[in-house]
Amino acid sequence: MTRRAWRRVPGYLFLTVAALASIFPLYFMVVSATNTSQEVLASKLLPGTNLLANFATLTSTAALGPALWYSGLIAVATTVLALAITSIAGYGFEIYHTRAKDWLMGLLLLAIMIPFAATMIPLFRMFADLGLVNSWFAVVLPTISTPFLILLFRQASRTFPHEIIEAARIDGLRELEIFLRIYLPSMKPTLSAAAVITFMASWNNFLWPKVILVDSATQTMPMLLANIRAGYVTDYGMLMLAVLIASVPAVVIFLVLQRSFAQGITGALK
C-alpha cells in the first residue's frame, strides 16, 4: 500500500464509524419490532420471533388503520396544496418586477423567526370560531404556505431564462399557460425537494394536530405513538413495530425522490 493510501485510512475509518452510528438506530428499531418487550429492554440486537404477536397486539389495542389513513390524508393534501401555492409565489417573486417585492419577501422571512407556539393559541381560537376544530382542513391550512418553500422556489427561479417567458408572451401564451407548460416542467427537482420536505414535516407533525384534533377517532400516527407510550405498562416490542410502520411512508418518499431532492436543494443554493 502506498503512502498516499495510508493517509486515507483515518478518513475511511471515520466515515465507516459515522455510517454505522447512523444506521444503528434504524437497525435497532427493525430488530426490536420482532422481539418481546423484555428482549427490547435487554437490548437484544438479533431478530426475534415476536413480530406477528406484536402486530396482533398493536392492531387490537390501537386504531392503526384510521391513524395511517388520517396521517396520509393530511400529508398528501398539505404537500399538494403547498407545492401549488409556494411554486406560484416563488414564480411571482422572481418573474414579476415590483418595488415592493423585496420588502414583502423580507417580511415573509421574518415570519420564519416567529415560533409556532406563539401563534398556536390565536390559530386555535380562529378555527374554533369557524367551527373547524377536529377537522383535517384545520391541520392542513396553517402549513400550506411556508416562507422557506417560497424562498426555495424563488432561488430556483433565478436560473430560469426570462427570455423564454418573453418569447412565450410574444407567441400569445397566457401567464397561466406559461407557468404550467414552461415553468413547472423545468422545476421538477425543486418540486421534488419541496415535496419531500413538506411530506415529512406534515407526516411527523405532532403539536398542532394534538391541539386541534380533540377527538381520538381522528388521531394521526404521531398522536397514536404518544398514546401507546403513555400507557401504564409500555409494550416496547409493539411500540417499536408501530414506530417502524410510521417510518415507512416517509422513508419510501425520500428514497423515491432522493436524487431529485439533492438536485433541487443544490439548484436553489446556486
Side-chain angles (χ1 to χ4, degrees):
M1 184 180 292
T2 63
R3 181 178 296 179
R4 185 177 180 182
W6 277 108
R7 290 177 180 174
R8 294 179 177 175
V9 170
Y12 289 141
L13 287 176
F14 174 77
L15 292 175
T16 302
V17 172
L20 291 175
S22 301
I23 294 174
F24 179 75
L26 180 62
Y27 172 78
F28 186 72
M29 177 180 66
V30 174
V31 169
S32 298
T34 66
N35 290 323
T36 64
S37 183
Q38 291 76 18
E39 289 171 336
V40 174
L41 291 174
S43 300
K44 182 182 176 183
L45 298 180
L46 295 175
T49 58
N50 211 51
L51 177 62
L52 294 179
N54 287 336
F55 185 76
T57 307
L58 175 61
T59 53
S60 63
T61 58
L64 179 63
L68 283 172
W69 159 253
Y70 220 63
S71 284
L73 172 67
I74 291 171
V76 170
T78 302
T79 303
V80 172
L81 292 174
L83 292 184
I85 293 173
T86 56
S87 61
I88 292 174
Y91 174 82
F93 270 112
E94 182 57 30
I95 302 302
Y96 298 108
H97 299 283
T98 63
R99 292 181 180 179
K101 72 173 186 179
D102 290 334
W103 287 93
L104 184 57
M105 194 69 212
L107 288 175
L108 287 175
L109 294 179
L110 282 176
I112 298 177
M113 302 177 187
I114 301 175
F116 181 73
T119 61
M120 190 167 55
I121 294 177
L123 276 175
F124 181 83
R125 295 190 62 177
M126 181 181 72
F127 284 114
D129 293 339
L130 294 173
L132 293 176
V133 172
N134 210 41
S135 165
W136 66 270
F137 187 72
V139 181
V140 170
L141 193 59
T143 57
I144 58 175
S145 180
T146 61
F148 173 74
L149 291 185
I150 294 174
L151 179 64
L152 184 71
F153 277 105
R154 184 195 182 189
Q155 293 301 112
S157 301
R158 291 189 168 176
T159 61
F160 185 77
H162 292 203
E163 295 81 5
I164 295 179
I165 297 177
E166 296 298 331
R169 287 171 179 166
I170 294 173
D171 289 341
L173 265 67
R174 294 176 297 178
E175 293 299 317
L176 183 60
E177 291 177 317
I178 295 172
F179 176 78
L180 294 176
R181 295 171 57 182
I182 298 177
Y183 174 78
L184 273 189
S186 68
M187 290 290 119
K188 285 182 179 177
T190 308
L191 288 168
S192 299
V196 171
I197 293 171
T198 308
F199 185 90
M200 295 182 73
S202 178
W203 182 265
N204 296 320
N205 191 11
F206 171 74
L207 181 59
W208 177 237
K210 181 69 174 176
V211 171
I212 199 69
L213 300 177
V214 296
D215 190 347
S216 60
T218 57
Q219 66 179 351
T220 60
M221 279 304 294
M223 295 166 63
L224 181 138
L225 295 176
N227 291 335
I228 290 176
R229 191 176 181 180
Y232 289 107
V233 179
T234 303
D235 186 335
Y236 288 100
M238 178 190 68
L239 177 61
M240 296 305 283
L241 178 60
V243 173
L244 177 62
I245 293 173
S247 304
V248 169
V251 172
V252 170
I253 290 292
F254 179 77
L255 291 178
V256 170
L257 299 176
Q258 62 174 335
R259 179 171 296 180
S260 298
F261 173 77
Q263 293 175 352
I265 294 295
T266 54
L269 293 177
K270 288 182 179 178

